Amino acid sequence: MTALEFKSVRKTFGTNVALEGLDLGVMPGELITLLGPSGCGKTTALRIAAGFEFADSGTVSVSDVDISSTAAHKRNMGMVFQSYSLFPNLTVALNIDFGLRTRKVASADRARRVDEMLELVELGRFRDRYPHQLSGGQQQRVALARALAVQPQVLLLDEPLSALDAKVRTTLRDEIRRIQTEVGITTLFVTHDQEEALAISDRVCVMSQGRIEQLGTPTEVYRRPSTAFVARFVGSMNELEGTVVDFRNVSISGRTVAVPAHGQADGTDVKVLVRPEDLTLVDDGFPGTVTSVTFQGATTLVGVRLDVIDRLVSIDVGQGDADHLGIGDRVQVALNGGNAVCEAA
Amino acid sequence: MAAVNSRRGSRLLPTVVLIAAAVFFIMPLVAIARFGFQNVPTVLLGWSSLFKKWTLDGITGAFRDRNFGPALGLSVKLAIGTVFGTIGLLLPTAVWVHLKLPKARGLVEFMTVLPYMVPGIALVAGIKVIQPHARWFLNSPYSLIPYYVVLALPFTYRSIDAGLRSIDLRTLVDASRSLGAGWGTTLRRVLMPNLRTSLVSATFLTVAVVLGEFTISSILLRKTLPVFQATYRSSSPRGAYALSVLFLLGTTAVFAVLSLLTRPKSARVKKIDPVVAAVTDEALATQGLAT
């Protein structure tokens, strides 16, 4: 049984198609991230789940109960928004209490639940503060506590980290995952940040133009992208021109490299998309000249202009291996094509 | 030196403009107050008589008039009715327009200015259309309330509209609804407390319209306070003007106190410096405790 399910959900705004028959099932306790660029339909899907928008066709169900036409306030969903959504006139404790009060929970139970939630997000000492007395990260944690206080069936997170600075974002991201796992709540998370999606999700749903491009675990989406769009959107990619030799080999500048080329006819010109970590510096490979060396902590990103195909590529080099490299050095580059993606040129 | 002079010059101009505006606003009030509260013939009201023969006789005379009490009572009831009517009608409308019909905001704003352009007498003429169907209502003095709601529109809509623009309306409404609150609860528990300032100013402007409107109530033969003042002016001009000044100062004072008292608690507590908040955030993050 799925905890949340979209079946053939279609939504248009005027002539703009926001969702083109979305089919997605979220399992109980699972965290699925909807990942995609602006306008791909991810937020529309979330708002349809929340009841703020209604689908033109198709159904949304929670635990196999169709809620497609249920009003937002009658759905048992918790939601955290991109912008700070705490009620400015209420203290932290009263914000958390809001949903419990609207559900007419007994006073003693409400007080107990508010304490539990404050403990969960570790903000007990801020209970009497007003939202404007909190930092952005603290406000989002209170918003999370408020959403969870009502014990919703599904938690909806609409880019809750995007208004925060990088360091706070990483900490809160881990915090959200910890709380989600601890509470065991089914969660739909929307983001355009691929790093965030890969770090937090059980499964990632990459979307483009109202359709799902790929649904899979973070490793699957990153290591085995099913389309060129996913390959480009998730992580960075180098693009090399080549010609298909057969279904598992591509010729790049006269060298045959093992690259899966399913679905492409022999002799077709293709673009080979390959990640920086799948390129290595070797003794016998494509010759080129180092154009940049960027230290990134654990790895170093080396830019190399390949001679024969006049193409600039980025290569992830392990710690220490790039210490001797300088701009202008001559190097040789090899390609591990096992995870590469072929796209018709 | 030149920079200092230029800074002084830049401070001087606003000060002069401010003083000129204050004089322009206050002088007529002082003149009316002197006429109403000083028992000195008008031709002798100069600098030399500024502190002479101040008296409350005019106003106490007005208070003693047997028509004053009922007129005041009616105007107060009309003011209360108009305030409820205006906010009850305009707040949900403005919220709806902001959320669902943002493109229609210009049209609605234009419509709310119409009462400025349509003379009061034309509004009253419109009564002929509904007279045969609603005679019972038109016989009541409270039939003035719809007129007053319309007359107050240009002021009240703008005040509420400005309030709605100052908050993140969509997010607050969505958050409230996702927490199980219907539209009524959302209006009452989320929007109204956060629009307190604009609702208080809308109330103030509405009361000012009701306490100042003469044309419609006079034509419809309703004995409201402005009608009483106009009638009383013929028998005791000083008393009528003293009454005007008293009401102006009285309503201003009441609303000044009201806006202080209704200031949300959240506005009374000190805002934490964003830099301090960011440092706290970072410190907590470093400790792995928070944020």
Side-chain angles (χ1 to χ4, degrees):
Chain A
M1 185 177 73
T2 50
L4 172 68
E5 188 169 25
F6 294 87
K7 269 189 199 157
S8 310
V9 171
R10 185 183 155 82
K11 176 74 181 173
T12 54
F13 294 102
T15 54
N16 180 28
V17 180
L19 285 177
E20 183 75 80
L22 178 71
D23 285 298
L24 176 68
V26 189
M27 303 310 286
E30 187 182 32
L31 191 156
I32 284 194
T33 296
L34 302 182
L35 172 69
S38 299
C40 72
K42 56 190 192 298
T43 298
T44 305
L46 194 85
R47 290 182 66 81
I48 287 175
F52 301 141
E53 305 284 351
F54 290 95
D56 298 340
S57 61
T59 59
V60 180
S61 33
V62 171
S63 303
D64 292 339
V65 177
D66 186 351
I67 57 158
S68 308
S69 51
T70 308
H73 66 286
K74 290 183 178 160
R75 298 183 183 195
N76 192 18
M77 304 267 183
M79 186 151 173
V80 180
F81 298 83
Q82 180 178 0
S83 47
Y84 304 134
S85 63
L86 296 184
F87 304 130
N89 57 312
L90 301 178
T91 60
V92 165
L94 288 175
N95 261 285
I96 298 173
D97 184 53
F98 186 92
L100 300 167
R101 196 183 274 257
T102 56
R103 283 168 167 76
K104 297 188 169 55
V105 176
S107 168
D109 294 337
R110 278 182 8 227
R112 186 178 45 75
R113 188 77 185 140
V114 169
D115 289 342
E116 278 172 15
M117 287 299 107
L118 283 170
E119 198 179 322
L120 185 71
V121 296
E122 295 165 351
L123 284 176
R125 64 206 165 100
F126 297 104
R127 61 178 301 135
D128 295 322
R129 287 216 182 155
Y130 284 93
H132 70 266
Q133 297 178 293
L134 302 176
S135 66
Q138 288 165 342
Q139 288 195 47
Q140 289 303 64
R141 292 172 63 194
V142 176
L144 181 64
R146 182 179 68 175
L148 290 172
V150 295
Q151 293 176 306
Q153 287 172 288
V154 178
L155 179 64
L156 306 170
L157 304 171
D158 184 11
E159 307 207 32
L161 308 173
S162 59
L164 307 173
D165 64 60
K167 192 168 184 181
V168 176
R169 196 156 57 210
T170 312
T171 320
L172 187 55
R173 182 188 75 194
D174 298 342
E175 189 85 341
I176 287 175
R177 183 56 162 164
R178 172 187 70 79
I179 292 169
Q180 187 268 334
T181 318
E182 205 173 305
V183 178
I185 188 165
T186 308
T187 304
L188 196 59
F189 186 98
V190 161
T191 185
H192 62 268
D193 183 330
Q194 39 103 4
E195 190 189 322
E196 209 167 275
L198 297 177
I200 204 172
S201 319
D202 290 313
R203 283 191 293 164
V204 178
C205 174
V206 186
M207 295 180 70
S208 168
Q209 295 180 330
R211 288 196 189 89
I212 294 179
E213 289 278 332
Q214 185 174 1
L215 176 63
T217 63
T219 315
E220 283 167 356
V221 168
Y222 187 80
R223 299 306 304 174
R224 290 187 294 282
S226 60
T227 65
F229 173 84
V230 176
R232 283 200 185 93
F233 191 75
V234 181
S236 48
M237 276 289 176
N238 292 300
E239 291 185 19
L240 303 170
E241 283 88 13
T243 309
V244 175
V245 177
D246 56 40
F247 70 97
R248 56 185 175 189
N249 288 298
V250 172
S251 164
I252 299 171
S253 185
R255 282 173 180 263
T256 300
V257 183
V259 171
H262 306 283
Q264 307 283 357
D266 294 357
T268 314
D269 287 338
V270 289
K271 274 184 188 164
V272 179
L273 306 178
V274 57
R275 296 208 182 279
E277 60 268 30
D278 289 329
L279 292 177
T280 44
L281 297 178
V282 291
D283 295 333
D284 178 29
F286 297 101
T289 309
V290 174
T291 57
S292 63
V293 180
T294 313
F295 179 65
Q296 293 185 319
T299 59
T300 299
L301 197 65
V302 179
V304 175
R305 180 164 293 281
L306 301 179
D307 294 347
V308 275
I309 48 176
D310 193 26
R311 171 69 69 171
L312 189 66
V313 293
S314 301
I315 308 167
D316 255 344
V317 179
Q319 205 171 21
D321 294 347
D323 288 353
H324 61 283
L325 283 177
I327 293 171
D329 287 357
R330 296 289 297 164
V331 290
Q332 309 248 4
V333 178
L335 185 157
N336 171 13
N339 293 316
V341 174
C342 267
E343 179 192 31
Chain B
M1 193 64 193
V4 172
N5 280 341
S6 131
R7 226 176 296 143
R8 265 189 210 144
S10 67
R11 270 203 305 265
L12 186 68
L13 186 65
T15 313
V16 169
V17 171
L18 201 67
I19 291 171
V23 168
F24 183 78
F25 181 69
I26 290 168
M27 285 311 279
L29 290 179
V30 172
I32 296 173
R34 292 194 66 186
F35 177 73
F37 291 101
Q38 275 190 285
N39 195 9
V40 175
T42 314
V43 288
L44 299 178
L45 283 172
W47 287 108
S48 57
S49 60
L50 187 60
F51 299 106
K52 286 179 186 166
K53 293 185 179 178
W54 283 83
T55 174
L56 293 174
D57 284 355
I59 213 157
T60 49
F63 288 163
R64 278 197 299 271
D65 192 293
R66 63 189 173 84
N67 293 321
F68 173 74
L72 177 66
L74 176 61
S75 281
V76 168
K77 286 180 205 160
L78 287 171
I80 293 170
T82 308
V83 166
F84 277 100
T86 301
I87 290 174
L89 180 75
L90 278 193
L91 182 59
T93 308
V95 168
W96 192 256
V97 169
H98 271 256
L99 287 179
K100 305 284 181 186
L101 300 165
K103 283 183 187 161
R105 235 157 45 185
L107 177 69
V108 176
E109 264 178 42
F110 171 73
M111 282 169 65
T112 59
V113 183
L114 282 179
Y116 258 149
M117 305 176 203
V118 181
I121 196 150
L123 283 176
V124 177
I127 210 169
K128 280 282 168 204
V129 182
I130 59 162
Q131 200 173 25
H133 313 291
R135 205 173 288 279
W136 58 272
F137 177 66
L138 295 170
N139 284 341
S140 155
Y142 302 113
S143 60
L144 285 173
I145 289 176
Y147 288 106
Y148 290 164
V149 170
V150 172
L151 285 183
L153 267 179
F155 316 105
T156 49
Y157 183 81
R158 255 145 211 81
S159 174
I160 291 173
D161 186 60
L164 289 173
R165 282 171 202 257
S166 71
I167 59 174
D168 188 351
L169 180 66
R170 185 174 295 281
T171 306
L172 289 181
V173 168
D174 285 351
S176 169
R177 301 198 71 223
S178 75
L179 290 165
W183 279 106
T185 311
T186 300
L187 272 177
R188 192 167 41 82
R189 290 196 54 211
V190 177
L191 296 184
M192 289 180 78
N194 288 303
L195 293 170
R196 225 183 289 224
T197 311
S198 64
L199 291 179
V200 167
S201 41
T203 303
F204 177 68
L205 292 165
T206 308
V207 171
V209 166
V210 175
L211 294 184
E213 200 287 323
F214 170 76
T215 316
I216 296 175
S217 45
S218 167
I219 293 170
L220 293 177
L221 305 175
R222 304 291 172 216
K223 290 174 178 156
T224 58
L225 196 64
V227 173
F228 166 79
Q229 280 173 284
T231 318
Y232 192 67
R233 199 173 296 143
S234 58
S235 61
S236 171
R238 283 185 192 282
Y241 282 107
L243 210 55
S244 302
V245 174
L246 184 73
F247 275 110
L248 183 72
L249 295 179
T251 44
T252 308
V254 166
F255 279 98
V257 172
L258 204 65
S259 59
L260 275 179
L261 290 181
T262 55
R263 221 153 53 110
K265 263 195 216 155
S266 56
R268 286 177 234 164
V269 292
K270 196 180 164 219
K271 183 175 172 131
I272 287 184
D273 188 325
V275 177
V276 175
V279 170
T280 315
D281 230 0
E282 193 157 319
L284 293 172
T286 315
Q287 292 164 27
L289 284 175
T291 329

